[in-house]
Amino acid sequence: MSNAALVELITREVLAELEARRGRNLARTAPASMAKRVPVAVSARHVHLAQREIDILFGPGYQLTKRNDLYQPGEFAANEVVTLVGPKLRPLTNVRVLGPVRDRTQVEISRTDAIYLGIAAPVRRSGDLAGSAPITLVGPKGSVTLPEGAIIANRHIHMSPVDAARWGLKDNDEVTVRTVDAERPTIFGGVQVRVSPKFRLVMHIDTDDANAAGLRCNDEVEIR
Ligand SMILES: [Zn+2]
């Protein structure tokens, strides 16, 4: 075999090997890109306020001031905080107010918080407040006791219509997710899918769920 023929043979073999490797790499990445991975954000206890309650807690006509923007466009953490009180008269202080102002005041706590306060807050979707737990809010200018409004927010995933279509999901579907590389492998059921053009992809879980699985912000879960 001539030198040139040998070089050509080796070149062909190398190219064939590279091509085969590329194929194997594609085969590896394809399932990963199909995986329905969702980053996690842990929601600490917080309140959404209606202007009626803002007027009582912070003074008539008071306007919330922005501390920082949240991941979902338009949502923000306010500088304002309130204290929550229940029948056990044990205060939960420095509970963050989230803006913008809502039509109804909604208090979102964990089960652990509910036990601490002594209220029977139900697990609910955001906005589903009928028959939820009574709660007292205390601000610098006054306090208000709501006959209902305290909930344990359900597990939910915010996503855009593009993400929803890509994964064959629609608004208000319920899915099950499993943790990826979490300290304590966990499967979460009953996860509400919330679809809106305004939403960016993220799963919201409360501190009880996060702590149970050892999940932190930006960890990932996978929709099964
Ligand atoms: Zn959310």
Side-chain angles (χ1 to χ4, degrees), residues 156 158 194 204:
H156 61 274
H158 296 268
R194 297 177 60 182
H204 279 162

Side-chain angles (χ1 to χ4, degrees), residues 43 72 108 126 154 156-158 194 199 202-205:
S43 296
Q72 299 301 334
E108 298 183 38
S126 183
N154 69 342
H156 61 274
I157 298 174
H158 296 268
R194 297 177 60 182
F199 287 159
V202 71
M203 177 173 179
H204 279 162
I205 55 174

Side-chain angles (χ1 to χ4, degrees), residues 22 60 69 89 95 112 189 202 224:
R22 205 170 77 89
D69 285 310
L89 298 181
V95 178
T112 302
V202 71
R224 284 150 61 92

